Every structure is written in structure tokens, then in C-alpha cells.
């Protein structure tokens, strides 16, 4: 269940990041309020997820989902540059997030490599 909370926290991070853009320095009231609400939701879910997910993994996944999702929506909604290099590094970020999830599962089952 913690991973579901973390996934939702990452998605809500995307919402508030886009909201920051639309709030225009908190000068637009409605996007500003929505942004603040989603910041609170995002961090509450993130905190709940960190009760069971290691902090390094949780933070990397949380920020990775937010960064990748925000970059993709920036390309899609705000017509930001979508170069091959940018898409390549976004895919690396996503593979890293998936790798952290897989490694966390291995460590939780006791199959992780001991130092």
C-alpha cells in the first residue's frame, strides 16, 4: 500500500508543479489555491509512504515521478522542446525509478546483496 501512496504522491507533485506555472508567481488565485492544496496532499502521502519505504528510495521515486511527469506535461501542454536527448534522459530517469522499485522488492524479500 505504501507504494500506491508514493505513486499518488508523485502524481500530485506533477499537479502542483504545473499549478505553480499556472499560478504565475501566486498572482492567479484559483491555480494558487489548487497548487497549495496539492502540495499538502502530496507531502502527506509522501510522509505516509516513508513509514515503510526507505527514505532514499522513497525520495528518489517521489521526485523522479514528479520530474519526469512534469517534463512530459511541459512538452505536451506548454510546447516545450522535446529533443531526442531530452527524451533519452527522461527514459533513463523512468528506468531508474523502476529499478529502485525492483531493488526495494528484492531487499524486502531478503534476496538483496549484502555489502
Amino acid at each position: 500500500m505504501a507504494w500506491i501512496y508514493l505513486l499518488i504522491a508523485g502524481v500530485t507533485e506533477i499537479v502542483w508543479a504545473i499549478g505553480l506555472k499556472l499560478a504565475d508567481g501566486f498572482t492567479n488565485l484559483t491555480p494558487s489555491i489548487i497548487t497549495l492544496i496539492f502540495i499538502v496532499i502530496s507531502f502527506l502521502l509522501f510522509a505516509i509512504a516513508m513509514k515503510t519505504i526507505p527514505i532514499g528510495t522513497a525520495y528518489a521515486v517521489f521526485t523522479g515521478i514528479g520530474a519526469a511527469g512534469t517534463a512530459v506535461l511541459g512538452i505536451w501542454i506548454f510546447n516545450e522542446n522535446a529533443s531526442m536527448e531530452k527524451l533519452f534522459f527522461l527514459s533513463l530517469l523512468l528506468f531508474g525509478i523502476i529499478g529502485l522499485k525492483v531493488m526495494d522488492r528484492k531487499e524486502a524479500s531478503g534476496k538483496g546483496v549484502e555489502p
Side-chain angles (χ1 to χ4, degrees):
M1 193 67 183
W3 281 99
I4 293 171
Y5 288 134
L6 187 59
L7 175 65
I8 297 169
V11 171
T12 57
E13 182 183 8
I14 297 166
V15 173
W16 67 253
I18 296 296
L20 281 175
K21 173 82 170 165
L22 298 174
D24 195 29
F26 292 106
T27 58
N28 294 329
L29 183 61
T30 301
S32 297
I33 292 170
I34 292 169
T35 298
L36 293 172
I37 290 168
F38 274 89
I39 287 172
V40 171
I41 293 169
S42 179
F43 280 98
L44 284 173
L45 292 171
F46 179 47
I48 292 168
M50 282 199 311
K51 287 182 178 181
T52 56
I53 299 172
I55 188 170
T57 301
Y59 188 67
V61 170
F62 173 72
T63 58
I65 291 170
T70 303
V72 168
L73 286 179
I75 292 166
W76 187 40
I77 295 172
F78 301 110
N79 296 316
E80 294 177 358
N81 181 26
S83 67
M84 290 303 293
E85 295 87 353
K86 188 174 194 175
L87 296 175
F88 171 74
F89 287 112
L90 279 171
S91 67
L92 281 179
L93 181 59
L94 292 173
F95 281 118
I97 292 168
I98 293 166
L100 286 170
K101 169 67 172 121
V102 169
M103 292 308 297
D104 187 60
R105 185 179 304 146
K106 282 184 180 180
E107 290 172 2
S109 68
K111 296 179 184 174
V113 177
E114 294 294 321

